[in-house]
Amino acid sequence: MAAAPDELPGTHSADLARLAELHGVATSYRPAPDRTVEVPASAVTAALAALGVDATGPEAVRAALADRERALRDRLLPPTLVHWAGAEPPAALAALPAGTRLHVETEDGEVRATADALPPGVHRLTATAPDGRTGRAHLVVAPDRLPAPPGRSHGLLVQLYSLLSHRSWGMGDLTDLAELAGWAGRTAGTGFVQVNPLHAAVPGAPTDPSPYRPSSRRFPDPVHLRVEDVPEFAYAEDRERLNGLLERAARLRAAVLDKGALIDRDAVWELKREALELVLAVPLGPGRQAAYDAFRAAHGRALDDHATWYALAEVHGPDWHRWPDGLRDPRSAATARARAALAGRVEFHARLAWLTDGQLRAAQRAAREAGMSVGIVHDLAVGVHPAGADAWAQQDVFAAGMSVGAPPDAFNARGQDWGLPPWRPDRLAATGYAPYRDLLRALFRYAGALRIDHVMGLFRLWWVPEGSPPTEGTYVRYDADAMLAVLALEAARAGALVIGEDLGTVEPGVREALRRRGVLGTSVLWFERDWEGDGRPLPPERWRADCLATATTHDLPPTAARLTGDHVDLRDRLGLLTRSAAEERAEATADVAEWLALLGSLGLLDSPAAGPPGSDEEEEIRAVHRFLRRTPARLTGVWLPDGTGDRRPQNLPGTWDEYPNWRLPIADREGRPVPLEELVVSPRLRGLLEVLGGDGTSGG
């Protein structure tokens, strides 16, 4: 017997579907234009519960639906409104009853009786209707578009930890970043250096090495500090102990550079922490103290919470869910007492955040002083670790019991669970997106541009209920207009660009909305094919202009590995192939051959090799980048290991212990680590950068 038209077989009643819709929770999604997938009712119910809505049975659903419809019908204003510069006022204002009085308090404290001609900012709006009803909203007034790139430019992409110098302590640091930027800007005319997320990590033994699952996105990780560049280092009293630490750091560095050891972040931090204990015992001078006090005042409670979490983690471990009951609440009396008792440790971690912020800003200054038009491009991870500092301090805006991931697709039939708690869209709107605004403002302090990982998350995220497989999740929608408006506002204030990582499956209309607001996309050579036509490689003139164009990323094989097929051999050795190695190699070889044929036909190969793809990998890599330069892309990036011939990906998705993700130094084609001092004199890297500095019109 056919199901009633108001019910979805085995899943959702009409009332549940309507309730979900009113809260932005999907009951189905379309992985392809011609295919619709219903999500389990359990996922919908769990997502609604995380939003504070009881949908555990038909009566509860009907009551919740009535409450939601009544609330929407009776309210004068939604919690947040957006007014784009030059556009019509928000529709919600036009829909107010005749005679409604407005009261606006701007960010600067100015009071107005109209919402017209307001300056950019997030203002407080109060509407009073003739019948006495009152509505309050945050009004985001944003520029129509984000800042645009100042012409075309090229730059370097690097995982900072992998960029060791003969002065770093076993992993790349912020002074190494400043040195690379200074060299590249002055000698190669590069416009930017893009790095991995430098967010604060969750401490542990071992620490999760992934930079995409941090403890905090708002504050940076002090493991990236160059200890000797902290001004107080010169005045630390226990020189014998400090010299001993420097000797141990030299051995740690030599183990990586000379003996091929993996980067040991925990060992590096143990040395730096011990050294910084000595350095931070030195009193600050008056000017430095004033600067630190200003930093603390600017970051206020957020910095106090951050430093308190790290102090408590030293005592109770890095998972706040396992702390004593009173300490799980950042606003409890028990936490206040613990903060006071641990005041010295709280101060230590607050000072570390300030010092790291200072070296980050110094790296950006070095980049701009070297002539870079953009400077350092920082990376914003999708979310934070559920046990970390942000999840503890901002519990009110995170969806309890949920995790961000991805639904099944052609590349992963089981879907993905990234283990990151999502922000609640309703709580973001109620605060005028304050947590999001504060996060962006903190990052833009030291960024010439911001890359947003999985930028589609500004529109919707796949929520997976705790204990369920990622196949049994659902999409929850965010107010993309508000998310983009806040992004445009903060980027404009900083004069910074925004690059969205929009690879993979993208909901229709998302790329268009991002482009309309000036968010640059990401285009990777091997994925740019005519998917709506013959499927062949997309010629350069058909690439989009508003993007960062690259040959690879941190999650993909280096170009040399793709050209030679080494990436297939690696996955075969690790047992990651789903087909025979012969089939995989044949497909990879055919893919590369198609691209090389296009490069040859365009005259971008100086001397096409007579042998198979990869026979002359240096020339072929240069040709790939000549091609990228010939596209209209506003930004062109080169993966720094492509300048050394490194064949190893920094991260191999689908692996954990099987592969040393996030722990490899930049190396040459034989796997020998290449320090920064050798990188900058490498003829291979210089030749590649000369290609990027050209116009891409010839093979020479």
Side-chain angles (χ1 to χ4, degrees), residues 338-356:
R339 182 184 285 116
L342 296 170
R345 300 308 298 167
V346 173
E347 174 72 5
F348 176 73
H349 290 288
R351 283 270 298 274
L352 291 182
W354 172 61
L355 292 174
T356 313

Side-chain angles (χ1 to χ4, degrees), residues 234-255:
Y235 304 101
E237 293 184 354
D238 195 340
R239 305 311 302 182
E240 182 177 353
R241 188 174 166 198
L242 271 178
N243 288 335
L245 291 171
L246 288 170
E247 291 173 2
R248 289 166 59 192
R251 291 196 293 272
L252 193 59
R253 177 175 62 244

Side-chain angles (χ1 to χ4, degrees), residues 489-505:
L489 175 64
E490 296 302 334
R493 284 171 163 168
L497 310 180
V498 175
I499 302 163
E501 186 273 295
D502 57 352
L503 302 174
T505 303

Side-chain angles (χ1 to χ4, degrees), residues 218 427-428 431-439:
R218 176 158 179 182
R427 292 284 174 81
L428 286 178
T431 64
Y433 294 81
Y436 178 50
R437 284 187 280 135
D438 292 343
L439 168 61

Side-chain angles (χ1 to χ4, degrees), residues 641-667:
D642 278 352
T644 64
D646 199 344
R647 284 157 164 70
R648 308 163 308 167
Q650 284 293 316
N651 178 50
L652 188 58
T655 63
W656 180 251
D657 294 333
E658 308 95 325
Y659 187 79
N661 296 315
W662 318 112
R663 289 175 287 170
L664 294 171
I666 294 174

